[in-house]
Amino acid sequence: MKRVGIYARVSTKDQNPETQLLQLREFAERRDWEVAQEFVDHGVSGAKRKRPGLDALMASVRARKVDVVLIWALDRFARSTSHLVQAAEEFAALGVDLVVLSQSIDTTTPAGRLTFQVLGAVAEFERELIRERVTAGVARARAEGKTLGRPRAEVSAERVQHLRDQGMSLRAIGKHLGVGKSTVSRLLVRAG
C-alpha cells in the first residue's frame, strides 16, 4: 500500500483548505492509498520561499515517509516553474510520485512522467534564456565602460591598525568603517 502525503494551501485566512483536502482524501481512498500525513499552509502566499506545511512535507519526503505527494493544483504547491521542476527532480531521485488532482498530472503513469519531462525541458530552456540575457547585459555594460560589482571601500590600512591598537575587535572595526571582517583582516596583514 502506498503512503501518501497530502498538501493543501490557501492564500488567505478566510479561505478554507478543507475544500481541497476533502477531494484529495477521496482520491487517495479510491486508489487504496494510506494517508500518511496531511500538510497544510493556511493563509500563506505561494510566493513565499518558506512555508511551514510545505517544508514539513519536503522533510517527510526526504525521510522517505511518503511514496506519493498528492496536491490539488500546481499553483498550490510551487511558487515558480523552476521550483516545481526542482521539487519534481527531487521526488524522482527519491522514488516519490507526484499527483496533481485538478490538472490530471500523475507521475505514477507513463503519460504523467512525460508531462513532467516536457515541463522540465521548458524550465531548463527558460533558465538558459535568462542566463544568455544576463551575459549579454554584462558584456554590454563592460563595453560601455561601466564598473560592475560592489564599489571598493576606501579604507586605509593605517586607520584599521589605529583602531585595532585602541583594542577594537575585527568585527567592531568593520562595523565602524562599513566594511566586512575579512576586509579588516586583510588590511591588518597589509599594515604589518
Side-chain angles (χ1 to χ4, degrees):
M1 179 179 279
K2 289 194 178 208
R3 298 164 300 163
V4 63
I6 292 176
Y7 177 75
R9 181 186 64 79
V10 289
S11 302
T12 63
K13 294 284 185 188
D14 60 326
Q15 293 174 318
N16 190 343
E18 201 61 30
T19 305
Q20 296 170 42
L21 292 169
L22 283 171
Q23 292 181 37
L24 295 169
R25 288 181 198 124
E26 289 172 4
F27 182 85
E29 189 177 316
R30 283 195 306 273
R31 289 271 183 110
D32 289 324
W33 290 343
E34 172 194 344
V35 176
Q37 195 169 351
E38 292 181 359
F39 306 88
V40 179
D41 281 315
H42 196 148
V44 179
S45 168
K48 287 198 174 190
R49 192 172 280 281
K50 290 287 185 187
R51 290 182 259 158
L54 182 61
D55 294 345
L57 168 68
M58 295 307 291
S60 190
V61 166
R62 292 175 188 123
R64 301 185 188 237
K65 293 180 180 176
V66 297
D67 303 308
V68 179
V69 171
L70 178 58
I71 60 176
W72 170 248
L74 292 174
D75 68 335
R76 302 290 90 201
F77 177 78
R79 64 183 181 278
S80 65
T81 304
S82 60
H83 176 226
L84 177 63
V85 170
Q86 181 182 16
E89 287 171 353
E90 187 171 357
F91 291 164
L94 295 170
V96 173
D97 285 304
L98 176 65
V99 176
V100 185
L101 189 60
S102 69
Q103 293 160 324
S104 301
I105 297 173
D106 183 348
T107 64
T108 65
T109 68
R113 285 190 294 277
L114 174 64
T115 301
F116 254 87
Q117 288 172 352
V118 170
L119 187 62
V122 169
E124 184 178 340
F125 177 67
E126 180 184 357
R127 282 192 302 269
E128 284 299 313
L129 286 177
I130 290 168
R131 188 184 63 73
E132 286 176 5
R133 282 189 221 119
V134 168
T135 302
V138 168
R140 181 187 49 76
R142 283 193 177 133
E144 292 172 357
K146 292 185 180 172
T147 304
L148 301 175
R150 190 172 165 180
R152 282 191 116 17
E154 297 296 325
V155 179
S156 73
E158 293 77 25
R159 174 90 172 120
V160 171
Q161 185 63 54
H162 175 72
L163 294 171
R164 185 67 173 166
D165 291 343
Q166 290 179 349
M168 290 180 75
S169 70
L170 299 182
R171 179 167 290 165
I173 294 169
K175 190 171 185 175
H176 179 72
L177 298 174
V179 296
K181 190 173 131 182
S182 60
T183 300
V184 172
S185 184
R186 189 172 48 253
L187 289 169
L188 282 173
V189 168
R190 195 177 300 160

